[in-house]
Amino acid sequence: MSTNSTSIIADLARMRFQYKSELAVYTEKLSDGRLLFCGFQDNGTIIYEHADIADKPSFDLTIDGESLDYGWEFRDFDSVTDERGNTTGTLTLQHAAKPIGLKVVTRCSGFGFFRRSVEIVNLSSDTTCGLTNVTPLKGSLWSITDNVADNLRDDTVSPYSVGRFKDLYWANEGKFAWQDVPVNTGVFFNSTFGMSGHSSPFFILRNNINGGYFVCQMGWSSNWKTAFFADYFNDSRLPNRINLNFEVLPVTPAPARLIAPGETISAPDMHFGMNHVDLDSAIQSLHAYLRQSVLRQAGDGAQPVIYNQSGYMVPGYKLPEMSEAGLQAEVDIAAELGAELFMIDAGWYGNNGTAGADWGNTTGDWYAADILPNDLHPVYAYARAKGLKCGLWVEIETAGSKSKLAQAHPDWFLTKYGQTFPRVLDLSKPEVKDFVESEIVRLVDKYQLDMFRLDYNSSSHEGGFNLKDGRNENTHWRHMEAIYEIFERVGRKYPNLQLENCASGGGRTDIGIVSRFTTTWVSDWFKMPRTVRILNGMSMALPPEFINRSYTPGMEGNLDTHMHAIMMAHPMLCGVVPSLAAASPAMMACVKKYIGIYKNFIRTFHRTAKVYHHTPVIPGADGTGWAALEYVSEDRTKAVATVFRLINAEENRYVLKFKGLDKQAIYTVRIEPEGSAFEAGGYALTREGLEIELDTALTSQMIMLTKNK
């Protein structure tokens, strides 16, 4: 049954292709050997050919140092529509001078969004070619010609702005901010650590003159670059015109990938859409598209409440020491709190007597350490007897210096500049890739895991190099191919297995790796107030049910406030109490209350909720002022909103005006932690709002609404 409004108009006589997704229309044309980005409309209007942008290519490709931006010849075009109404067009091209073919695949996926894939084929029968670089998507938006000089107010107004995550460094993920793109000025952002984070190849472009939003993400888990240029023509030869050029690309030393004769490789997928309503609508359309067409679900899709054992059992501190009895005591805490999955974290492996204290140097030997002489089976059996599912932490892409794996296979590590790069295994080598996949399967089968947590705590920066046929091929591209392929196969083999993505917290939050997992650590910074800003920003790029947020020891601020922050995401508990005997009854009651709220209320509509960011930009080093998030069910019968007072707020009051309610309905309103309940009309809650008064920092109120029948 068709659920999306999508279509493709392919005019083969003119080599012009129009892709439609709801009201978004994207136009391309093959002209003079170039595939051109001719225009992008956000109001459903079919663009006439005379209005096409005629000089902007839609991709860049360089093979063996030679630009292949032009010289393309048409070979074929076909389109298909699936049962959900997604229409996919495949344009097949061949280069006139080089033995290179392209399949340019454009999927119209509804909600105003598209998915662009570019497959590069080496058509030679005997010669390997080298990918120098590729830009899978570039183009030009919002060509404006009317009253440009006047509308720019003598250059005091920037015509466009880009919203992105401002910081690239650990613990500062999700710091969303707008930056102007001034006329005739280039702006670019990039990552450099060998991972996509601790930022993300995600951005929102905003038209400050005529309105509208363009949202884009690249599915690439290594280094990347986004670049923008506001091109303003204003001279006697050309009429006033201003448009915004953009490009998104993976960044890898050349050759990024050697392509064997007859081999096909894929550039990173691009996900992009346009909206002319408001920022909330643009984000909601992105979430709906990702949920329906991109992101993975396991089983019934419900996200379990996770209890992570490492809170008071920190490797290196041994409070208490990791042991069978200690882990079973942690299971008792998890069960008492109402958690649903028990996760064993780092330090369970490595038979050298130092596993718990030296977890980073013993990775690679994925067998229970001497400190667990009976293996993990008794712990997992104990957890399952108490109704808990079971998960395991593994940093499968690494091997520590004290591991047996490192001693047995010194040639399996990343090498750069003639030196071995510590800890990082080189998955571009087939034997390493095969070992990694076999170990994942072995561990899942051995322990009958319900969740597999992948961590990655290394920064390989520009990557390593392997000599192939006399050429130094960079490792990043093949490494990411390997990770993607492994977890695609693991996901198919175990359709009910929860796969959790973590990379030193938020080192990999791009849609390339997230789409192969069921939940993601967007950061491992959980202290207030920054944890609120992390959730606030990252819930733009990803739906909130895919975002892990945790309670951990050593928090500042109000306990209810910490629970509010994690309940608005995918909740994880870690170190709530050192033992049941030492537990505060008040603390236990508070935590259990909010776990019940999550399971019985928020989770019932979390996976389809519309998200409203009342405070999309939260300034300050850690988070200043107020923050407010609102989630509303698709049918508008349920909603939850949380208002946080962060630090340095100038007022004691914040008025929350709901955005997503049914204005004609009457809602029962419940507020925590005060426990009050009353009825209010949707119109009043939207127009007048609720006045939230909090007179001290790091406090909050959670407001839950249920539509009266």
Side-chain angles (χ1 to χ4, degrees):
M1 179 179 179
S2 176
T3 58
N4 291 336
S5 175
T6 69
S7 62
I8 298 173
I9 302 173
D11 185 344
L12 299 185
R14 291 180 170 80
M15 287 291 113
R16 192 165 178 269
F17 309 92
Q18 292 191 301
Y19 303 94
K20 299 178 65 178
S21 174
E22 306 298 344
L23 294 178
V25 183
Y26 171 47
T27 304
E28 284 185 326
K29 183 176 182 180
L30 183 63
S31 177
D32 298 325
R34 296 193 300 165
L35 186 63
L36 301 177
F37 188 110
C38 296
F40 205 155
Q41 294 291 101
D42 56 15
N43 55 18
T45 303
I46 298 297
I47 307 166
Y48 290 113
E49 189 170 2
H50 70 80
D52 286 349
I53 301 171
D55 58 351
K56 303 293 183 182
S58 63
F59 70 89
D60 284 342
L61 177 64
T62 305
I63 299 289
D64 292 326
E66 181 179 349
S67 172
L68 301 189
D69 297 344
Y70 61 95
W72 296 102
E73 298 176 344
F74 176 81
R75 287 293 178 266
D76 190 25
F77 184 88
D78 65 77
S79 63
V80 294
T81 301
D82 65 21
E83 68 280 358
R84 285 185 171 177
N86 301 311
T87 305
T88 302
T90 301
L91 173 63
T92 303
L93 304 174
Q94 184 171 332
H95 200 266
K98 296 274 285 187
I100 298 294
L102 287 184
K103 286 188 178 294
V104 182
V105 183
T106 308
R107 183 181 186 186
C108 313
S109 297
F111 311 106
F113 271 82
F114 305 85
R115 180 173 185 162
R116 165 57 61 87
S117 304
V118 178
E119 299 176 7
I120 306 166
V121 188
N122 183 355
L123 299 174
S124 172
S125 61
D126 57 8
T127 303
T128 295
C129 64
L131 174 65
T132 304
N133 56 60
V134 60
T135 303
L137 184 68
K138 60 185 299 186
S140 184
L141 301 171
W142 296 312
S143 183
I144 304 170
T145 58
D146 297 332
N147 304 315
V148 173
D150 180 59
N151 291 333
L152 291 178
R153 301 177 197 167
D154 299 323
D155 295 334
T156 60
V157 172
S158 291
Y160 309 108
S161 297
V162 55
R164 86 290 184 216
F165 299 135
K166 183 176 181 180
D167 287 329
L168 297 172
Y169 299 100
W170 172 81
N172 288 280
E173 299 89 349
K175 190 176 182 180
F176 184 83
W178 292 103
Q179 178 165 329
D180 287 342
V181 184
V183 295
N184 293 331
T185 302
V187 173
F188 76 89
F189 311 103
N190 63 288
S191 68
T192 60
F193 296 113
M195 300 181 287
S196 59
H198 294 264
S199 183
S200 178
F202 157 81
F203 62 86
I204 304 171
L205 298 177
R206 183 178 66 193
N207 187 327
N208 296 329
I209 299 177
N210 289 344
Y213 295 91
F214 175 83
V215 183
C216 185
Q217 295 199 57
M218 180 170 63
W220 180 245
S221 308
S222 191
N223 294 333
W224 53 268
K225 177 182 177 182
T226 60
F228 315 94
F229 182 75
D231 201 357
Y232 182 30
F233 295 91
N234 184 20
D235 60 31
S236 59
R237 297 169 298 165
L238 294 169
N240 283 349
R241 188 183 79 178
I242 190 165
N243 57 328
L244 180 60
N245 299 310
F246 74 94
E247 61 181 24
V248 194
L249 62 152
V251 176
T252 303
R257 178 67 156 80
L258 296 178
I259 311 172
E263 186 179 16
T264 299
I265 68 168
S266 295
D269 283 348
M270 303 300 307
H271 308 266
F272 59 100
M274 187 171 275
N275 178 285
H276 206 118
V277 182
D278 54 33
L279 179 61
D280 284 322
S281 297
I283 295 301
Q284 290 162 12
S285 296
L286 170 66
H287 289 177
Y289 158 69
L290 293 176
R291 286 162 169 162
Q292 176 172 287
S293 299
V294 180
L295 297 174
R296 180 179 182 268
Q297 292 187 18
D300 62 4
Q303 297 287 38
V305 177
I306 301 171
Y307 183 91
N308 197 76
Q309 54 76 210
S310 69
Y312 284 98
M313 196 178 287
V314 180
Y317 296 96
K318 300 184 180 180
L319 300 170
E321 180 181 20
M322 181 177 282
S323 65
E324 184 177 309
L327 288 171
Q328 288 177 337
E330 292 289 305
V331 169
D332 290 337
I333 298 171
E336 179 66 23
L337 289 171
E340 297 164 312
L341 187 144
F342 181 73
M343 174 65 67
I344 297 179
D345 209 325
W348 60 270
Y349 44 84
N351 288 313
N352 58 14
T354 62
D358 203 13
W359 65 271
N361 287 321
T362 55
T363 60
D365 295 344
W366 302 114
Y367 294 88
D370 297 337
I371 55 177
L372 296 166
N374 298 315
D375 208 318
L376 298 176
H377 296 295
V379 177
Y380 282 148
Y382 188 74
R384 290 188 172 106
K386 289 184 172 285
L388 294 167
K389 295 181 178 181
C390 297
L392 186 65
W393 177 102
V394 182
E395 195 180 7
I396 199 69
E397 297 161 83
T398 69
S401 60
K402 296 180 182 179
S403 68
K404 294 177 182 178
L405 183 66
Q407 305 305 315
H409 297 285
D411 57 324
W412 280 14
F413 288 87
L414 197 74
T415 57
K416 55 196 306 185
Y417 315 132
Q419 302 294 322
T420 298
F421 196 79
R423 296 192 77 242
V424 180
L425 295 175
D426 184 358
L427 270 68
S428 71
K429 297 178 177 179
E431 65 272 24
V432 183
K433 173 184 174 183
D434 291 345
F435 168 79
V436 164
E437 183 168 354
S438 67
E439 284 292 91
I440 295 170
V441 170
R442 180 181 66 80
L443 291 169
V444 172
D445 287 343
K446 177 180 180 179
Y447 297 118
Q448 293 297 292
L449 295 177
D450 301 293
M451 176 176 279
F452 182 95
R453 174 184 289 170
L454 173 71
D455 205 347
Y456 184 67
N457 294 293
S458 296
S459 299
S460 60
H461 299 281
E462 72 273 24
F465 305 91
N466 288 323
L467 191 64
K468 293 179 181 291
D469 300 325
R471 304 172 71 178
N472 272 316
E473 181 188 54
N474 189 264
T475 58
H476 274 323
W477 195 285
R478 287 188 190 269
H479 189 106
M480 293 324 308
E481 285 179 337
I483 286 295
Y484 293 166
E485 291 170 9
I486 286 169
F487 281 98
E488 284 171 4
R489 284 192 291 268
V490 169
R492 289 193 296 267
K493 183 176 178 67
Y494 305 103
N496 294 320
L497 177 66
Q498 296 276 343
L499 292 172
E500 186 179 76
N501 166 50
C502 179
S504 189
R508 291 173 174 169
T509 57
D510 65 282
I511 210 65
I513 200 161
V514 172
S515 64
R516 292 158 170 97
F517 287 72
T518 51
T519 187
T520 290
W521 285 49
V522 295
S523 177
D524 56 8
W525 183 275
F526 301 113
K527 294 173 66 174
M528 295 289 291
R530 200 186 311 167
T531 186
V532 173
R533 187 175 65 197
I534 291 168
L535 168 64
N536 188 74
M538 293 307 302
S539 59
M540 293 184 178
L542 299 172
E545 71 273 13
F546 280 83
I547 295 173
N548 281 1
R549 293 281 76 205
S550 179
Y551 177 91
T552 58
M555 297 296 187
E556 294 95 354
N558 179 280
L559 176 59
D560 290 271
T561 298
H562 287 296
M563 296 306 297
H564 292 167
I566 70 173
M567 294 306 138
M568 295 294 281
H570 177 203
M572 183 175 73
L573 304 171
C574 182
V576 176
V577 294
S579 68
L580 285 178
S584 159
M587 171 179 268
M588 295 292 286
C590 180
V591 174
K592 288 196 280 188
K593 175 180 72 173
Y594 285 111
I595 290 176
I597 287 172
Y598 174 77
K599 291 194 290 189
N600 300 320
F601 185 73
I602 297 174
R603 191 167 63 183
T604 63
F605 65 95
H606 207 196
R607 189 168 279 280
T608 58
K610 292 186 175 182
V611 179
Y612 295 88
H613 291 86
H614 291 255
T615 51
V617 177
I618 300 176
D622 286 306
T624 296
W626 294 80
L629 275 171
E630 173 189 352
Y631 304 160
V632 182
S633 66
E634 283 189 303
D635 60 6
R636 297 188 291 179
T637 60
K638 296 179 181 179
V640 60
T642 302
V643 176
F644 300 90
R645 178 170 177 165
L646 305 178
I647 61 173
N648 297 327
E650 295 181 358
E651 302 288 340
N652 288 343
R653 293 176 177 82
Y654 181 91
V655 178
L656 175 67
K657 295 183 179 181
F658 285 85
K659 296 183 177 184
L661 302 183
D662 180 352
K663 294 183 179 64
Q664 300 183 51
I666 302 297
Y667 289 89
T668 297
V669 182
R670 173 184 167 191
I671 300 179
E672 293 290 350
E674 65 186 47
S676 61
F678 54 91
E679 291 186 347
Y683 184 86
L685 290 168
T686 300
R687 296 300 184 186
E688 300 170 11
L690 291 177
E691 185 175 87
I692 307 298
E693 183 171 355
L694 300 169
D695 72 354
T696 190
L698 307 187
T699 54
S700 61
Q701 287 194 345
M702 175 177 279
I703 304 98
M704 291 163 283
L705 295 88
T706 304
K707 184 178 178 180
N708 293 355
K709 296 182 180 179

